[in-house]
Amino acid sequence: MHLGLIGLGRMGGNIARRLMRDGHSVAVYDVDAKARQALADDGATAVDSLAGFLEALPAPRAVWVMVPAGDITEKTVQELAGLLEKGDTIIDGGNSNWHDDVRRAKQLSEQGLHYIDVGTSGGVWGLDRGYCMMIGGDKAVVDRLDPIFKTLAPGIGDVEKTPNREKHDPRAELGYLHTGPAGSGHFVKMVHNGIEYGLMQAYAEGFDVMRNRNQASLPEGERFDLNMADIAEVWRRGSVVSSWLLDLCSIALAKDPGLENFSGFVNDSGEGRWTIEAAIEEAVPAEVLTAALYTRFRSRQEHTYAEKMLSAMRLGFGGHVEGKQ
């Protein structure tokens, strides 16, 4: 298939490369000419403006926006809306607020355009691992673009099959899912990221407890010289708490056991806050997720080993470099 892609940063460039690797034709744009040229060298068609997609892509066009959520995404979507033709589709693969998706879908529908929101998880590893995608929008449009999503998804891989799934959507086993109407994809991804906050916090606090058992102030015989890197590694092997996040902990600790290269300053990208807002609207208790979000706020004032562990995981899966404070 043919796809236009805007934004060639940590994830966008690799999305384009994964698609081309499977035979899809990709036209790309980024404000950075060097980023455009790098993808052109890899086989993409580079355009020097959003208007360039009109000539580079056959109708009906599909253009994937992969830029920072917020004002930049809004500006890009609105500019595209003024350029594309009836029947074309705008895909937002960033971390937009689902309320914005509902509004944009209604607006674009009135112009004869389609809007798809794709909550995308996979970070900087997606080129080889693939991207887990939660997709909101009109079913007919999502089905038409299925070859794009199938290529980007991880595939069934060596993950053990879940029993009794015969009546459920088989795409979920491949790592992508049509979740419902516009907004639902980013809503599910929002909650996914809220859960991520809680999981990361649990690992971070657990490692902090173990590290502090090494303190000299504890009575002799109650101190343990625990090796964080080795503990993270052994937990990866058959433990009930094994996960990709634990893999990232092990990688970080093997390289830097004291996490001296991490500030402990931990940002939140929005989805955690929005998840808590949704929980409040729905009167759903979300104590762990709320506490994890508040810990990130506190990390900007003082920094613990646990917060450095959070920074290490964020760098590992998303390439996020936390600011020194």
Side-chain angles (χ1 to χ4, degrees), residues 7-209:
L8 307 176
R10 289 191 301 260
M11 292 179 68
N14 281 343
I15 286 174
R17 291 183 177 94
R18 187 172 174 91
L19 287 170
M20 290 188 294
R21 196 165 65 181
D22 199 38
H24 297 281
S25 175
V26 183
V28 298
Y29 173 76
D30 193 284
V31 293
D32 183 348
K34 291 182 180 179
R36 297 198 302 267
Q37 187 59 49
L39 264 296
D41 292 343
D42 287 341
T45 300
V47 300
D48 59 9
S49 69
L50 300 188
F53 286 118
L54 289 174
E55 295 184 3
L57 298 170
R61 302 169 187 83
V63 181
W64 184 304
V65 178
M66 203 68 183
V67 300
D71 293 342
I72 299 177
T73 296
E74 184 68 24
K75 180 178 183 295
T76 304
V77 169
Q78 295 305 331
E79 188 173 346
L80 278 174
L83 294 169
L84 296 178
E85 300 173 338
K86 288 185 177 181
D88 291 345
T89 301
I90 297 174
I91 304 167
D92 179 6
N95 283 325
S96 291
N97 189 305
W98 66 274
H99 291 98
D100 291 331
D101 296 318
V102 174
R103 170 179 54 81
R104 290 175 191 149
K106 183 175 185 299
Q107 171 206 335
L108 297 181
S109 177
E110 292 170 352
Q111 298 176 227
L113 299 172
H114 305 293
Y115 181 86
I116 302 295
D117 56 289
V118 181
T120 310
S121 181
V124 296
W125 301 72
L127 176 60
D128 296 318
R129 291 177 61 108
Y131 301 90
C132 175
M133 291 168 291
M134 298 134 268
I135 307 163
D138 182 77
K139 183 179 183 302
V141 180
V142 173
D143 288 348
R144 177 167 60 82
L145 296 173
D146 186 79
I148 295 291
F149 302 130
K150 188 172 184 178
T151 287
L152 292 176
I156 198 162
D158 57 1
V159 178
E160 185 176 351
K161 290 180 71 69
T162 301
N164 304 313
R165 277 202 51 85
E166 292 78 10
K167 297 181 180 179
H168 294 277
D169 191 335
R171 292 173 295 187
E173 290 185 322
L174 302 178
Y176 71 109
L177 181 68
H178 179 217
T179 53
S184 66
H186 278 148
F187 183 87
V188 174
K189 176 58 162 49
M190 173 191 78
V191 177
H192 164 284
N193 283 24
I195 293 171
E196 176 187 293
Y197 282 29
L199 292 173
M200 291 172 67
Q201 188 64 33
Y203 282 124
E205 292 178 6
F207 279 100
D208 207 11
V209 170

Side-chain angles (χ1 to χ4, degrees), residues 203 207 210-211 227-233 246-259 262 305 308-309 312:
Y203 282 124
F207 279 100
M210 290 188 291
R211 175 179 175 271
N227 186 303
M228 299 297 101
D230 287 347
I231 291 169
E233 185 64 24
L246 183 61
D247 296 346
L248 299 175
C249 291
S250 186
I251 291 169
L253 288 166
K255 184 177 181 181
D256 179 12
L259 302 178
F262 296 95
Y305 187 83
K308 291 181 180 182
M309 179 61 74

